[in-house]
Amino acid sequence: MRAREADSVAVTGSRISEAVVDEMTAGAEPLARSVLVPSVFRVYLHPEDWERLFPLLQDIRSETETMLAEGLARLNKPLASWTKRLGLRKPKEHRRVKDFWQVDFYPNNDEDSSTGEFVIFSDFPEPPRATELEGSETVRATRYRSAAGTGEKTRQAVETGPKAENVLAQFRFTDELGCRSYLMTRDEVHIGRGGLGRWVDLELRTEIPDISREHAIVRRRADGAFEIKDVSKFGTTVGGAAVPQSRVTENGAEVDKDLWSPLPSGAHIVLAGKMELDFEPVPQQ
């Protein structure tokens, strides 16, 4: 599912959080006995807004997840209260497929992207592979606009079709949130637990201390080939072979030797011998 918010007013964490909650509600899918709400959200920001908000993205993610939980509770509590009071038939419960929210941020490099605009793709956990996403029946597109000066907001449905982002590759993995997927839309992505002073693109939700806050970096070269660099303490393997440790301590100082290894299609990556990721490039037109 996809939503776009565009205007000449600066993008803020508050606007992003509110739009994500709106898409959670609007993207609900009714079943026979319950209503499923999307819980996976990918937010695309214009590169200038990305750079400006970069230091705040982890806080925006955390607050957005809290607001999503509150929004889901509101969808159920009023209905249950009135049903019991009036003796009506119990309404369908709104629920998530799995017990987690996933909110990821990406820079939007589309030619029609402009500052003050952000795009939200919302979906359900364990989506199909990136090569199968185009034309998916679950894709929902909405455009939000706020006029400068007046602040007036309009909401417009956008025809669904091919995904706006250029997906280079996909990672599939399992952490404490369950089975997840991450779409690589930049030439370089950083992988790890994240944390203070260590922003990562693919944040692994785990308490395993051997997984570094920044554990590995994957990049696409100019010729289209992919490479991986290990910047961790406890190592990375690809297809069972150890990736040379690039970030080491010499004479008390941290040194990055910039050592890269090939990352083939269908590679099986293991971090610190404890967390596995499957990597698959997406064919480019």
Side-chain angles (χ1 to χ4, degrees):
M1 299 180 184
R2 185 177 118 185
R4 169 170 293 184
E5 177 153 337
D7 61 12
S8 56
V9 178
V11 174
T12 64
S14 175
R15 287 183 55 215
I16 292 172
S17 298
E18 291 171 359
V20 169
V21 174
D22 286 344
E23 287 308 305
M24 181 267 290
T25 303
E29 292 286 344
L31 302 181
R33 297 180 179 275
S34 62
V35 179
L36 294 181
V37 298
S39 57
V40 178
F41 303 90
R42 297 181 173 93
V43 182
Y44 290 81
L45 300 161
H46 183 274
E48 291 184 14
D49 293 322
W50 165 270
E51 292 295 334
R52 178 174 58 83
L53 294 175
F54 186 84
L56 310 176
L57 292 180
Q58 291 191 28
D59 291 317
I60 295 172
R61 173 191 287 132
S62 178
E63 291 196 1
T64 301
E65 292 177 352
T66 297
M67 290 176 63
L68 284 166
E70 294 171 347
L72 181 58
R74 285 195 300 270
L75 288 175
N76 290 311
K77 187 174 180 180
L79 290 176
S81 174
W82 278 104
T83 298
K84 183 176 181 180
R85 183 180 304 178
L86 301 177
L88 301 176
R89 184 177 178 180
K90 185 177 180 180
K92 294 179 181 179
E93 177 190 7
H94 286 71
R95 63 183 180 87
R96 298 174 289 182
V97 176
K98 293 194 173 182
D99 192 25
F100 68 85
W101 302 108
Q102 179 181 340
V103 182
D104 296 319
F105 298 94
Y106 306 81
N108 185 354
N109 296 312
D110 289 351
E111 293 181 358
D112 63 349
S113 175
S114 60
T115 57
E117 171 183 282
F118 59 91
V119 179
I120 302 173
F121 285 86
S122 57
D123 214 328
F124 298 88
E126 299 186 59
R129 294 186 180 274
T131 53
E132 302 169 355
L133 287 176
E134 185 172 317
S136 169
E137 293 182 359
T138 65
V139 173
R140 166 192 166 79
T142 310
R143 184 191 304 268
Y144 296 82
R145 294 182 184 274
S146 296
T150 65
E152 181 181 358
K153 296 183 179 181
T154 60
R155 194 166 184 270
Q156 173 189 2
V158 178
E159 182 179 355
T160 58
K163 292 175 75 65
E165 75 271 29
N166 181 30
V167 179
L168 306 177
Q170 183 176 35
F171 296 88
R172 296 175 71 86
F173 57 97
T174 301
D175 60 8
E176 292 182 358
L177 297 183
C179 296
R180 298 206 284 148
S181 170
Y182 179 86
L183 303 180
M184 180 176 179
T185 61
R186 307 171 62 199
D187 286 330
E188 183 173 296
V189 297
H190 295 239
I191 304 168
R193 289 188 293 115
L196 186 62
R198 292 287 187 184
W199 164 262
V200 292
D201 303 282
L202 198 173
E203 181 182 354
L204 300 168
R205 305 295 182 90
T206 177
E207 296 299 324
I208 301 175
D210 292 354
I211 306 299
S212 299
R213 289 183 297 168
E214 183 183 25
H215 199 103
I217 304 172
V218 171
R219 74 179 182 185
R220 186 184 68 157
R221 299 189 324 214
D223 63 3
F226 289 86
E227 296 178 316
I228 186 170
K229 177 165 72 171
D230 174 50
V231 292
S232 71
K233 181 178 180 181
F234 293 101
T236 301
T237 62
V238 173
V243 176
Q245 190 175 33
S246 183
R247 190 172 291 167
V248 297
T249 300
E250 294 182 352
N251 299 321
E254 188 178 82
V255 178
D256 190 341
K257 296 185 176 182
D258 203 31
L259 302 177
W260 294 86
S261 298
L263 187 62
S265 176
H268 185 65
I269 305 168
V270 181
L271 309 181
K274 297 182 178 180
M275 180 162 286
E276 304 176 8
L277 302 92
D278 290 314
F279 171 81
E280 190 65 46
V282 174
Q284 301 299 298
Q285 304 251 336

